Amino acid sequence: MKRKWMILYIILFFCICTIPTAGYLIAGAEGNFEENFGFRKELITANSQILAKIFQTSSDDGVIVGEQGWLYYKDSLEDYQGMKNMSERQLFDAAHTLSMMQEYVESKGLAFAFAIAPNKNSLYGEDMPYYYRGFREQENNRVRLIPYLEEEGIHYADLYEAFSDQEKVLYHKQDSHWNNEGAALAADSILSCLGKEHSGYSNAKNYVKKDFEGDLAAMLYPAAIPKENEIYYEKKPDFTYTQEVESNFDPKIYTESAKGKGSLVMYRDSFGNALLPFMAEAYAQAYFSRAVPYQISDIFSCHADTLVIERAERFIPELAENAPVMPAPIENGKLWDDEIFTEEIQDLEVVNQGVYTKVKGTIPNERLETKSRILIRVNELVLYEAFPVSTDGQEGFECYLLTKTLKEDNTFELGIVSE
């Protein structure tokens, strides 16, 4: 009898193994077998369900399967555990870059605000797998960045504090982002930081509908994405798109609102998808961009009176890696002695990009203190402050100079000013 069941098991095993190939041939699929084999989504979904429900593990390297059906984005794990954190110099680079942007846009009469969208497990980490909980190497980048933001005087909307004050869970269980109610709260926090009059949604009537498909669930269960609850407001945010939009994750989105006042430019990431309607309602015109580096000239083409930068917590390091495209600030303060311009610019690159000429280079890390500023003197006449950048731990600078102000042959001298 045992022999009979063993034979049946072996036959069943080989039949299952032939399903992908049979489906591939029957469907007449072409191209890579690994990506086009028959019943691919169904088999991936079945495997993920078995691993998640029985072993509480994930079949996808990008997803963490937590407890109580919670899913988390794997890219946030190092932040959650405080591992591979930014250096103090990199934290300064990020904060000082924001400060230089804020100073520039405010000099043009615009309002400025910066916000960090908290990682899901920063707010709701109690359902992370037990083997990740309880291990913290140090405080994460968000916590360590805040003192630098305060020192630089950044107009910062603290979304972590806003969400922590709520008893409700305002993120989806099987998505990496906030739900609509969370997005409304985030918009209210940002607009309040700006001192902008707006319609809040904290007391607005809403209803629940089980129709939301999470991005993490889609990665694990592509053939049977489970639905979860989403919050909808009876009175939808009042705005219209001014061009055809496939989704709120489009790289460039323009909106209008008869209810709003003023004009907004907002640089955002995927957290901006749900946030967009609530921000769009507050402004007569708004432009939402996912472009990196930030093209600050957008404030002029859009006749904006407000610039907002929203960044997901796990993307904080990128603030130190990408200088915005804007004219380098002219240093009109102290007359610096020639003695400070003794540093050699390593890996100097000068690239004419039309209106701007991009100048960049690297600096030995040991030559910079935590809060060192970087100055560039051009043709021994004009002095600029360069944006500090840190790429893969290598310190350097970038600055954009108006091409029309340069000569055919230019000299660039580097100065480092430390407190």
Side-chain angles (χ1 to χ4, degrees), residues 223-236:
I225 304 173
K227 299 286 197 301
E228 61 177 305
N229 290 339
E230 178 59 285
I231 305 295
Y232 293 96
Y233 291 95
E234 291 185 4
K235 186 177 180 182
K236 296 180 179 179

Side-chain angles (χ1 to χ4, degrees), residues 112-136:
F112 178 91
F114 171 64
I116 297 172
N119 293 335
K120 182 174 164 182
N121 48 18
S122 293
L123 288 167
Y124 311 111
E126 59 272 15
D127 286 306
M128 282 282 284
Y130 72 90
Y131 44 83
Y132 290 137
R133 297 198 305 267
F135 177 80
R136 299 286 191 281

Side-chain angles (χ1 to χ4, degrees), residues 160-177:
Y160 179 85
E161 181 178 5
F163 277 81
S164 297
D165 288 342
Q166 302 295 312
E167 294 183 4
K168 297 179 181 179
V169 173
L170 299 177
Y171 277 50
H172 291 289
K173 291 181 68 172
Q174 300 200 331
D175 191 272
S176 51
H177 306 93

Side-chain angles (χ1 to χ4, degrees), residues 249-309:
F249 199 53
D250 284 8
K252 297 180 179 181
I253 296 176
Y254 295 87
T255 65
E256 291 181 347
S257 173
K259 186 177 181 180
K261 295 180 180 179
S263 180
L264 168 72
V265 168
M266 182 172 182
Y267 298 119
R268 51 54 169 252
D269 47 39
S270 57
F271 276 89
N273 295 2
L275 184 62
L276 185 149
F278 303 101
M279 296 297 294
E281 181 183 58
Y283 291 88
Q285 293 88 33
Y287 169 59
F288 300 88
S289 172
R290 292 197 293 112
V292 176
Y294 304 135
Q295 306 287 326
I296 305 301
S297 60
D298 292 333
I299 64 175
F300 302 115
S301 60
C302 295
H303 306 287
D305 59 38
T306 304
L307 175 65
V308 171
I309 296 175

Side-chain angles (χ1 to χ4, degrees), residues 329-342 371-377 380-386 413-419:
I330 297 177
E331 179 69 13
N332 287 321
K334 179 179 177 181
L335 296 175
W336 301 101
D337 295 332
D338 287 343
E339 295 178 359
I340 74 163
F341 297 101
T342 58
K371 299 177 183 178
S372 295
R373 294 169 57 213
I374 301 169
L375 305 180
I376 301 295
R377 187 164 69 177
E380 300 183 351
L381 293 174
V382 187
L383 189 60
Y384 300 91
E385 181 171 6
E413 300 169 278
L414 171 65
I416 297 174
V417 181
S418 302
E419 293 185 355

Side-chain angles (χ1 to χ4, degrees), residues 91-142:
L91 292 169
F92 170 81
D93 289 348
H96 193 59
T97 292
L98 288 167
S99 175
M100 292 170 70
M101 282 190 280
Q102 177 175 287
E103 184 175 354
Y104 177 70
V105 300
E106 288 184 341
S107 74
K108 303 300 180 183
L110 281 71
F112 178 91
F114 171 64
I116 297 172
N119 293 335
K120 182 174 164 182
N121 48 18
S122 293
L123 288 167
Y124 311 111
E126 59 272 15
D127 286 306
M128 282 282 284
Y130 72 90
Y131 44 83
Y132 290 137
R133 297 198 305 267
F135 177 80
R136 299 286 191 281
E137 192 164 292
Q138 59 177 317
E139 295 286 6
N140 67 11
N141 291 326
R142 176 187 54 78

